[in-house]
Amino acid sequence: MSEVMLEVKNLSKSFRMRENRIDSLKGSIANFFNSTTAAAEDFHALKDVSFNLERGEALGIIGKNGAGKSTLLRILSGISQPDQGEINFYGKAVSILDIGAGFHPELTGRENIYLSASLYKFTRKKIEERFNEIVEFSGIGKFIEEPVKNYSSGMYLRLAFSIITCLDADIYLIDEVVNVGDANFQMKCKNKIEELIAAGKTLLIASHNMNEISVLCNRIILMEYGQIIETGGADIIQKYMTIALPQYFHFEEGEFFHIKNLDESPFEQKDMRLLKYGIKDYIANHNGISTNHPFAIYLDVQLFEEITTEFRLKFYDATGALIFTCSSARQEVLQINRAGQYHVEFQIPANLLNTRLYSVELRVVNDDKKALMFKADKFIAIKMADDDSNTETNRDLHLQGLVKPLVPVSVTKL
Amino acid sequence: MERKIYKSIRGGRQSLGSYLKEVFDARNLILSFAVRDLKIQYAQTYLGVFWSLVQPLTGLIIFNFFFQRVIPLHLNVPYAVFAFTGIMVWFYFTALVGQGGTALMANQALIKKIQFPRLVLPLSKALVGLVEFSISLILLLVMLLVFGVGISPKIVFLPLVVIANIMSGLSIGIWLSALTIRFRDLHHLIPYLIGFGIWLTPVFYPTTMVPESFSWIYYLHPVANVIALYRWIFIGLPINFVQVACSFTIAALMLISGLYFFVRNEKFVADYL
């Protein structure tokens, strides 16, 4: 049975704009005598935000800078006061807006553990119980009696993170803190967070790291202009990218791809000319280009010189992670090395791409000189979607990932 | 089934009573901050917390030179004991006003990241000051014995006077700490308040030297009366209890109004920093 751990009802918060704020005696006195001063213009950081968080849920909050994520977290943490609305916690919450916020460099690791823990409202007894666990997880060892100013930045972060996660709470409010430290420490943080989720803790994470959000969170809230504009699963991330990068991922009504006009490209075409290019043989369903069918990206080019030319397509996901590169020189195909016109076709197999937004970069390389002849970033943006009949099954299966190849599976009864 | 709400956040004002309970629950934190500040100031020094005596002792030497050699003041008690009583109270008062008044500004980073009752910050500063004050108090007791003044049984009133001392200092410190967030100008005003305040306060001169026509000041001046109380306890100087009552009423009103003002503004502190 679902059990609500956090209730947020109709939360609103506005800030007075800096120019209109009375920050000095002069302003205050001036304001006092001049009652005709125009009403200050307010900036609505949060507008009527409501949501519930249930036990065991990991809720991700995404949105552009200034969408209201941090304001929301600050209000949930009690640092800032809402203008309107109500928040009810049905369990102990800790908020981690900054790692090591309560640390003082002159104090030893041990002293900082006690200070931080009392800042997070844990009793001395509780800290003593968990002290060894904290020290062990942080891996600080004998340096625990040294002032933290002598710590390396990695040690500092490890200790700070250990304190927070080793203290028991029911609800964790986290703002972008997993992206600190080296790879090993990030891994440790991520594992710890997964452990918390597995232990039935409730999490709320605001982050710009879409990969992290999609891996950790089972529900995502998308915020824009201080409001929740959509709630859902990992597919919300794709929606977010169309808001965050409208210049690339904004499609015409009923269209699921966008092809850039390369004549406007700042990169000059050397010794060659692109005549025609585009996507063909695709099948579109209601939500995008079908992932269940192959399609092709083609280029018609005119080559002016005798140059061995290679064409490359680089596939990126919406957040900018490179997924794979395909090249015309990799396979035994017709060598493009004489002047003339060529038709190059890249056939993207069915069941390779996942239900995501992708962008494709084109590179034309002079293979003799190993020099770049032409380059176009995000020359194709494309939205992939499963055929409707399959959507439900995929959601149930949680086929997460940058690609979704149909890996042959065999099952035999023993 | 109604479930227990662990914590609720709503817009609107918090009552002073529930706020003070929150502060009481955070008493651990007051102690932690005070210990932190003392460690940072005095750890790794040879004299440790005795460094806090340097300033009052320097003051004592200067006053003693001026008012015994340059412009001799004639009192029927040893001047050094008389002056040091005033100096130690004055330094504690300046700590309560100066440190307490800037406590929120000095901890901006913390305030923006972690929620706790902000009153904890000026209170922990008061505690740090109390430790330093206690060292001075011990020195005073030694001086009383060395100068043959002895220790009067009135010392049983000492705890009450110390509480009055803290309250009168905090009444200003709390007002200032809440006000400096909104009005940064006050930050620059605090050193002046402290620098000139010493002339209005009978630290190094007895009130008997002040012309009768100005003595009304002491009905409004809690710190002057705190000093008078210490001198009444330790060196048996006469005291005007009407002045004490009158000025402490003012201090109490300042403190209560200061707390109200602080609680009203505390929720917006993070927005203004």
Side-chain angles (χ1 to χ4, degrees), chain A residues 3-4 13 21 23-25 74 77-82 86-90 101 104 111 118 121, chain B residues 3-4 6-12 32 39-40 110-113 115 182 184-185 267 270-272:
Chain A
E3 186 186 357
V4 175
K13 168 94 181 170
R21 241 164 68 171
D23 271 353
S24 63
L25 276 178
R74 278 169 74 162
S77 312
I79 289 166
S80 202
Q81 169 107 337
E86 186 181 332
I87 304 164
N88 293 317
F89 290 95
Y90 295 94
H104 197 288
E111 287 160 351
S118 50
K121 301 189 178 62
Chain B
R3 289 180 57 213
K4 185 184 165 269
Y6 199 91
K7 193 177 101 180
S8 254
I9 298 174
R10 276 176 194 79
S32 301
K39 270 187 185 143
I40 292 159
L110 207 56
I111 287 174
K112 282 181 171 177
K113 297 295 181 190
Q115 191 272 333
R182 296 283 284 266
R184 300 270 165 118
D185 309 49
K267 303 289 176 212
D271 296 345
Y272 272 97

Side-chain angles (χ1 to χ4, degrees), chain A residues 134-154:
Chain A
I134 294 169
V135 177
E136 197 176 321
F137 182 76
S138 68
I140 297 294
K142 60 185 193 307
F143 294 103
I144 198 71
E145 307 296 347
E146 281 286 308
V148 298
K149 65 177 176 184
N150 297 339
Y151 284 19
S152 71
S153 52

Side-chain angles (χ1 to χ4, degrees), chain A residues 3-5 13 15 21-26 28 55 74-83 85-92 95 97-98 101-102 104 106-107 111 114-115 118-121 123-124 147 149, chain B residues 3-14 22 26 28-29 32-33 35-37 39-40 44 109-118 180-186 189 266-273:
Chain A
E3 186 186 357
V4 175
M5 294 302 286
K13 168 94 181 170
F15 289 102
R21 241 164 68 171
I22 303 153
D23 271 353
S24 63
L25 276 178
K26 191 181 130 211
S28 182
R55 185 182 289 280
R74 278 169 74 162
I75 290 175
L76 290 175
S77 312
I79 289 166
S80 202
Q81 169 107 337
D83 295 340
E86 186 181 332
I87 304 164
N88 293 317
F89 290 95
Y90 295 94
K92 180 164 171 64
S95 67
L97 301 194
D98 195 4
H104 197 288
E106 295 284 345
L107 298 182
E111 287 160 351
Y114 280 99
L115 179 62
S118 50
L119 272 168
Y120 287 111
K121 301 189 178 62
T123 61
R124 221 182 153 75
K149 65 177 176 184
Chain B
R3 289 180 57 213
K4 185 184 165 269
I5 295 179
Y6 199 91
K7 193 177 101 180
S8 254
I9 298 174
R10 276 176 194 79
R13 285 180 203 165
Q14 189 177 10
E22 219 182 296
N28 240 340
L29 191 56
S32 301
F33 275 133
V35 170
R36 175 192 78 170
D37 289 349
K39 270 187 185 143
I40 292 159
Q44 296 174 22
L110 207 56
I111 287 174
K112 282 181 171 177
K113 297 295 181 190
I114 301 178
Q115 191 272 333
F116 57 90
R118 312 306 187 195
T180 44
I181 299 298
R182 296 283 284 266
F183 310 109
R184 300 270 165 118
D185 309 49
L186 286 174
L189 221 63
E266 125 133 21
K267 303 289 176 212
F268 306 105
V269 163
D271 296 345
Y272 272 97
L273 282 175

Side-chain angles (χ1 to χ4, degrees), chain B residues 90 94 189-199:
Chain B
W90 182 251
T94 57
L189 221 63
I190 292 175
Y192 285 96
L193 200 71
I194 290 167
F196 291 118
I198 195 168
W199 297 96

Side-chain angles (χ1 to χ4, degrees), chain A residues 310-313 325-331 333 344 346 367:
Chain A
E310 180 199 346
F311 291 84
R312 276 185 212 155
L313 292 185
T325 306
C326 34
S327 162
S328 65
R330 192 181 167 193
Q331 297 159 41
V333 290
V344 187
F346 290 89
D367 228 11

